[in-house]
């Protein structure tokens, strides 16, 4: 449209348009920009930030003259969202955001020729140096052509098949805003058949052998954050298109470049080259690189320290491949409050050490690039990507770890992932026994010896001792902030109402959904029956055991309790007792009816004795237990989900 407008204008005439800002920066418009700079004159341009016009992208109001005036300098105005109050500008034009006598020829000195009207002479000068492409390169990545088939999260597959026999390999795939290291949540199928598919499929891609399993730098191709974040790529990881990656001719350059990419200097430069959500490889390779050997050792040491700090943080949470032990267990404290206080201090020390390191790196690179007048080294706390302690979150993760120990995923006798596929050995759990049948009932009353609340209380006692048990349970219950008159009631209510929801949230990936590894057998809204199992220990008799060993016992307990309530109703003279018994009986009747319907669906699936293949992933396997058709009210069919819906 802009080209057509310029064609229609007479020579030396003006074409004025209101357009999206994309032509000013995106690489796809580079030729168009160069044509404007070489053959026309930008007389005026008003650039409005995202949302200034009430839309989610920036707007350009351009006045372009159809002639190339030698050494012509135009005027540029910037309208920021902060300038707008009640849909009107506070002042217009804002002289503080006005850039006079800007030569469009300066834009050609910046890679991609962006219309970077606010660039200073010192900023433009840094592009006289070499760029990152002199030390790094990109030569393809893995595209599976079918992510549902060939990608899995690291926690859902058989862990013994990662690396050991080459069935799955660790796979970087972008992720949330995070610096230095982390976001490793995926594996990619690595069988000979899968690799053959990547090589031959029209959509898929497979890189040349020489770029596989090398150290490098990776980042999320698409980011909603205004600041850039890069991470180390280890030599046991593959990478996806969503994890834009560069490799190096000399690996000794990696830490220096990683420090530079995570500095405010590069963040500043990227806002000129490509102020969009996409952090393209081409843009990163075009960034100016000034090698400063006087600071090399300091930078390398600091970057190494930042990677270590970030890795400790990432590995402190159980979705990490290298998770070893929960932070509230590792210090051998006698109370969970003491353990949390130690963890809180550790997190603060790590957070502020990383912040200080990043600020020192900023000082160094700002000095190297001569941008002292344009940048400050200060790092805002929101941009530090290791986590501070959070009482509720960390208590919930402690409960999750306890459940993992109940199922045998973890053990108090060994660090790291103890069982996630392969041969289950009950002898690896001496300090705290793993559940024998892989079924943990969650009831609103304690009907079983291995009731999950009872097992959890035993876990707390085992970790911190009997003397402080009540103190620890009170601390946990208060942190959960659930309903109940006692700590045990509050903990039970958490398991009944919130544990599975939190578990699904923990075991999820942004944009790819929830993939829980503990599955909740759930009869419905009346909470008639709930029981957790661990998918890695599932076998074809699990559903049958859930039905006969647990559901039927709950039903018998309900029937006995109903009889007891009815006896009170018929024989008591105390009105409050009668009301209480009536309410309790009505609740139990609803639960009993719900479990009877649920029992039909369980019986149907128990008879089928379905097996699951961990390689198929959570989504496929979970769906096998949903929408079970049973007969109800004569010929009517009803669909019943055995497992709680993943919302």
């Amino acid at each position: 449209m802009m080209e057509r407008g310029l064609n229609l204008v007479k020579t030396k005439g003006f074409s004025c348009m209101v357009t999206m800002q994309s032509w000013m920066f995106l690489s796809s418009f580079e030729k168009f920009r160069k044509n404007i700079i070489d053959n026309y004159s930008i007389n005026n341009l008003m650039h409005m930030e995202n949302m200034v016009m009430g839309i989610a992208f920036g707007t350009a109001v351009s006045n372009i003259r159809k002639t190339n005036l030698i050494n012509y300098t135009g005027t540029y105005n910037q309208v920021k969202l902060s300038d707008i109050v009640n849909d009107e500008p506070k002042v217009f034009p804002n002289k503080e955001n006005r850039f006079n006598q800007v030569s469009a020829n300066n834009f050609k000195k910046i890679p991609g020729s962006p219309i970077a009207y606010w660039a200073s002479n010192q900023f433009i000068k840094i592009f006289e140096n070499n760029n990152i492409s002199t030390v790094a390169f990109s030569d393809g990545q893995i595209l599976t052509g079918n992510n549902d088939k060939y990608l899995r999260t690291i926690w859902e597959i058989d862990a013994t098949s990662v690396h050991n026999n080459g069935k799955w390999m660790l796979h970087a795939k972008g992720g949330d805003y995070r610096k230095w290291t982390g976001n490793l949540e995926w594996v990619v199928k690595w069988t000979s058949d899968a690799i053959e598919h990547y090589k031959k499929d029209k959509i898929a891609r497979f890189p040349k052998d020489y770029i596989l399993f090398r150290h490098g730098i990776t980042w999320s191709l698409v980011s909603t954050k205004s600041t850039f974040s890069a991470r180390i790529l280890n030599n046991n990881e593959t990478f996806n298109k969503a994890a834009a990656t560069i490799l190096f001719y000399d690996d000794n350059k990696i830490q220096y470049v990683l420090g530079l990419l995570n500095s405010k200097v590069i963040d500043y430069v990227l806002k000129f080259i490509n102020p969009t959500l996409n952090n393209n490889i081409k843009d990163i390779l075009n960034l100016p690189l000034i090698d400063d050997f006087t600071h090399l050792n300091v930078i390398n040491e600091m970057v190494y320290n930042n990677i270590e700090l970030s890795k400790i943080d990432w590995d402190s949470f159980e979705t990490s491949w290298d998770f070893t032990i929960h932070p509230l267990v590792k210090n051998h404290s006698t109370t969970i409050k003491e353990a949390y206080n130690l963890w809180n201090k550790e997190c603060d020390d790590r957070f502020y050490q990383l912040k200080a390191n990043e600020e020192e790196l900023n000082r160094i690179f700002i000095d190297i690039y001569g941008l002292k007048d344009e940048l400050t080294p200060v790092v805002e706390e929101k941009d530090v990507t290791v986590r501070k302690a959070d009482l509720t979150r960390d208590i919930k993760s402690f409960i999750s770890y306890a459940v993992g120990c109940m199922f045998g995923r973890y053990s108090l006798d060994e660090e790291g992932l103890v069982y996630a596929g392969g041969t289950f050995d009950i002898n690896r759990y001496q300090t705290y026994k793993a559940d024998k049948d892989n079924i943990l009932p969650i009831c609103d009353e304690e009907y079983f010896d291995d009731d999950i609340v009872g097992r959890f209380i035993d876990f707390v006692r085992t970790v911190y001792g009997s003397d402080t048990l009540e103190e620890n349970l009170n601390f946990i219950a208060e942190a959960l902030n659930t309903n109940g008159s006692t700590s045990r009631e509050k903990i039970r209510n958490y398991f009944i109402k919130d544990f599975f929801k939190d578990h699904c949230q923990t075991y999820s990936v942004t944009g790819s959904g929830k993939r829980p590894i503990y599955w909740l057998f759930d009869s419905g809204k009346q909470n008639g029956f709930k029981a957790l199992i661990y998918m890695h220990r599932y076998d074809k008799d699990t559903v049958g055991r859930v039905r006969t060993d647990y559901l039927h016992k709950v039903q018998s307990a309900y029937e006995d309790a109903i009889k007891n309530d009815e006896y009170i109703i018929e024989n008591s003279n105390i009105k409050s007792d009668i009301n209480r018994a009536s309410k309790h009986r009505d609740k139990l009747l609803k639960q009993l009816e719900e479990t009877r319907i649920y029992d039909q669906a369980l019986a149907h699936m128990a008879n089928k004795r379905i097996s699951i293949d961990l390689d198929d992933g959570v989504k496929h396997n979970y769906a096998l237990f949903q929408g079970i058709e049973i007969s109800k009210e004569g010929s009517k069919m009803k669909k019943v989900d055995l497992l709680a819906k993943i919302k």
Side-chain angles (χ1 to χ4, degrees):
M1 187 180 70
M2 293 180 71
E3 285 179 336
R4 182 63 175 154
L6 287 165
N7 288 336
L8 292 172
V9 171
K10 292 181 179 181
T11 301
K12 296 185 180 180
F14 297 89
S15 174
C16 303
M17 293 206 177
V18 180
T19 65
M20 292 170 62
Q21 68 170 0
S22 52
W23 69 270
M24 298 172 61
F25 307 108
L26 293 186
S27 59
S28 54
F29 293 100
E30 183 176 343
K31 288 183 180 179
F32 171 71
R33 288 192 294 272
K34 288 181 178 178
N35 180 49
I36 294 291
I37 295 167
D38 290 339
N39 298 300
Y40 303 90
S41 301
I42 301 176
N43 190 48
N44 297 100
L45 190 145
M46 182 170 66
H47 180 210
M48 294 181 278
E49 281 187 341
N50 297 0
M51 297 307 298
V52 166
M53 295 281 286
I55 47 181
F57 45 80
T59 307
V61 182
S62 59
N63 179 336
I64 300 174
R65 193 170 190 184
K66 191 175 181 177
T67 185
N68 183 240
L69 301 175
I70 306 301
N71 297 322
Y72 181 78
T73 57
T75 299
Y76 297 78
N77 291 288
Q78 189 178 66
V79 183
K80 298 182 178 181
L81 190 58
S82 57
D83 296 331
I84 307 299
V85 178
N86 296 327
D87 295 328
E88 293 185 5
K90 288 183 286 189
V91 59
F92 185 81
N94 187 341
K95 292 181 180 179
E96 293 180 1
N97 295 333
R98 193 170 198 166
F99 302 83
N100 297 311
Q101 297 183 331
V102 177
S103 173
N105 288 323
N106 284 341
F107 304 152
K108 293 199 295 185
K109 298 175 184 179
I110 303 172
S113 302
I115 310 301
Y117 54 85
W118 64 95
S120 67
N121 290 330
Q122 176 57 37
F123 177 82
I124 293 171
K125 187 177 178 182
I126 67 175
F127 290 98
E128 296 173 3
N129 295 280
N130 290 329
N131 55 36
I132 290 176
S133 66
T134 60
V135 299
F137 65 95
S138 173
D139 196 8
Q141 63 280 122
I142 293 173
L143 295 178
T144 69
N146 186 345
N147 284 351
D148 286 341
K149 183 175 181 179
Y150 295 104
L151 291 185
R152 298 286 179 265
T153 52
I154 60 172
W155 54 78
E156 61 186 320
I157 45 85
D158 181 346
T160 63
S161 66
V162 179
H163 293 315
N164 293 350
N165 60 16
K167 197 170 188 179
W168 299 93
M169 299 300 287
L170 297 176
H171 192 60
K173 191 179 175 290
D176 296 332
Y177 174 74
R178 186 175 178 86
K179 294 180 180 178
W180 310 111
T181 192
N183 280 2
L184 189 61
E185 299 169 307
W186 294 92
V187 290
V188 62
K189 201 159 193 179
W190 208 253
T191 60
S192 57
D193 288 346
I195 293 172
E196 190 70 14
H197 161 78
Y198 306 148
K199 290 179 177 179
K200 291 185 176 181
D201 184 78
K202 292 181 180 180
I203 302 174
R205 297 287 184 275
F206 193 75
K208 300 177 180 70
D209 289 344
Y210 83 98
I211 74 167
L212 290 173
F213 306 117
R214 295 176 56 156
H215 286 101
I217 294 175
T218 185
W219 62 91
S220 301
L221 181 65
V222 180
S223 173
T224 56
K225 282 282 288 188
S226 60
T227 50
F228 182 70
S229 62
R231 299 174 291 278
I232 195 78
L233 179 83
N234 295 309
N235 62 1
N236 64 342
E237 300 168 19
T238 57
F239 50 92
N240 184 279
K241 183 180 180 180
T245 299
I246 55 175
L247 305 171
F248 287 75
Y249 302 112
D250 178 2
D251 284 358
N252 290 322
K253 300 282 188 179
I254 292 177
Q255 289 182 322
Y256 184 91
V257 173
L258 181 60
L260 172 63
L261 290 179
N262 280 333
S263 73
K264 293 184 80 171
V265 167
I266 291 307
D267 213 43
Y268 187 57
V269 174
L270 282 173
K271 285 177 173 58
F272 286 83
I273 291 179
N274 184 10
T276 68
L277 300 180
N278 288 350
N279 300 307
N280 299 307
I281 291 175
K282 178 183 175 182
D283 294 330
I284 301 303
L285 290 175
N286 279 333
L287 293 170
L289 175 66
I290 303 176
D291 280 322
D292 187 297
F293 296 104
T294 59
H295 294 94
L296 183 62
N297 290 336
V298 174
I299 291 171
N300 285 349
E301 183 178 344
M302 206 164 291
V303 169
Y304 176 80
N305 185 236
N306 290 353
I307 293 170
E308 288 300 302
L309 290 170
S310 186
K311 180 170 173 52
I312 292 169
D313 168 71
W314 183 258
D315 293 343
S316 296
F317 295 84
E318 63 183 71
T319 50
S320 167
W321 179 251
D322 294 318
F323 173 77
T324 55
I325 188 171
H326 195 274
L328 301 187
V329 174
K330 66 180 181 180
N331 291 317
H332 305 291
S333 302
T334 57
T335 67
I336 195 167
K337 181 179 180 179
E338 178 189 352
Y340 176 77
N341 288 338
L342 289 171
W343 166 243
N344 187 33
K345 183 179 184 305
E346 177 188 331
C347 288
D348 278 354
D349 290 346
R350 181 164 49 245
F351 185 93
Y352 290 109
Q353 181 61 61
L354 183 60
K355 184 176 186 292
N357 287 357
E358 290 183 355
E359 289 178 340
E360 181 57 27
L361 284 171
N362 283 338
R363 286 188 191 94
I364 293 171
F365 283 114
I366 288 170
D367 184 57
I368 291 172
Y369 281 75
L371 296 173
K372 290 180 181 178
D373 294 336
E374 302 181 45
L375 295 174
T376 67
V378 176
V379 175
E380 294 186 47
E381 289 197 2
K382 67 180 178 62
D383 293 326
V384 180
T385 57
V386 296
R387 289 157 282 199
K388 289 187 174 183
D390 180 281
L391 180 59
T392 299
R393 180 202 67 199
D394 295 331
I395 290 299
K396 287 181 176 181
S397 74
F398 170 79
I399 293 173
S400 177
Y401 178 72
V403 172
C405 289
M406 295 176 204
F407 280 128
R409 182 172 177 83
Y410 310 112
S411 171
L412 292 179
D413 301 307
E414 300 178 32
E415 289 191 346
L417 193 59
V418 176
Y419 183 80
T423 303
F424 184 75
D425 183 0
I426 197 69
N427 295 316
R428 297 176 73 178
Y429 312 92
Q430 296 299 319
T431 302
Y432 180 80
K433 294 291 185 183
D435 192 74
K436 288 184 179 180
D437 64 4
N438 187 38
I439 302 169
L440 295 173
I442 306 175
C443 307
D444 50 14
E445 295 182 33
E446 195 168 347
Y447 297 124
F448 300 96
D449 292 336
D450 62 347
D451 168 82
I452 197 167
V453 177
R455 288 300 312 265
F456 177 70
I457 291 169
D458 286 342
F459 182 82
V460 174
R461 183 187 292 110
T462 302
V463 172
Y464 301 110
S466 299
D467 293 343
T468 57
L469 177 62
E470 297 307 318
E471 177 185 349
N472 290 325
L473 293 179
N474 287 334
F475 185 83
I476 292 167
E478 290 305 310
L480 292 174
N481 194 29
T482 53
N483 295 328
S485 56
T486 67
S487 60
R488 285 166 172 77
E489 282 185 15
K490 291 176 181 179
I491 292 169
R492 185 172 296 280
N493 283 332
Y494 172 71
F495 275 114
I496 291 172
K497 296 178 181 179
D498 294 327
F499 174 80
F500 185 69
K501 178 180 67 177
D502 289 339
H503 174 67
C504 288
Q505 193 60 46
T506 298
Y507 284 84
S508 65
V509 181
T510 302
S512 298
K514 298 167 183 177
R515 307 187 184 209
I517 55 172
Y518 308 141
W519 293 357
L520 182 64
F521 281 80
D522 186 358
S523 63
K525 294 180 180 179
Q526 302 300 328
N527 295 322
F529 178 79
K530 294 180 188 287
L532 284 174
I533 69 161
Y534 177 27
M535 66 173 283
H536 291 73
R537 286 182 62 191
Y538 172 91
D539 61 47
K540 56 189 178 182
D541 293 317
T542 298
V543 176
R545 291 196 302 272
V546 168
R547 179 175 182 251
T548 57
D549 296 351
Y550 293 91
L551 178 65
H552 288 174
K553 289 182 180 178
V554 167
Q555 288 175 322
S556 295
Y558 286 163
E559 289 168 352
D560 291 342
I562 289 169
K563 289 178 183 177
N564 185 59
D565 288 335
E566 288 178 342
Y567 179 84
I568 294 172
I569 294 167
E570 292 173 4
N571 295 284
S572 178
N573 295 319
I574 303 172
K575 189 174 181 180
S576 59
D577 289 347
I578 295 172
N579 289 338
R580 191 183 305 109
S582 297
K583 187 179 290 186
H584 188 239
R585 179 200 58 185
D586 293 345
K587 173 190 171 185
L588 292 175
L589 286 170
K590 290 178 182 178
Q591 290 181 318
L592 185 60
E593 175 60 21
E594 181 180 83
T595 61
R596 284 172 176 162
I597 297 170
Y598 189 67
D599 186 37
Q600 293 181 53
L602 275 179
H604 180 76
M605 291 299 288
N607 291 333
K608 284 190 172 184
R609 302 181 76 233
I610 289 177
S611 297
I612 67 170
D613 185 345
L614 293 175
D615 286 342
D616 290 335
V618 169
K619 288 185 177 181
H620 173 84
N621 288 320
Y622 205 87
L624 298 175
F625 301 88
Q626 305 298 74
I628 313 304
E629 284 195 341
I630 62 168
S631 60
K632 189 188 177 189
E633 298 176 7
S635 60
K636 273 191 174 182
M637 302 298 290
K638 178 181 176 65
K639 286 189 175 182
V640 177
D641 291 334
L642 292 190
L643 303 176
K645 290 187 186 301
I646 301 175
K647 297 179 181 179

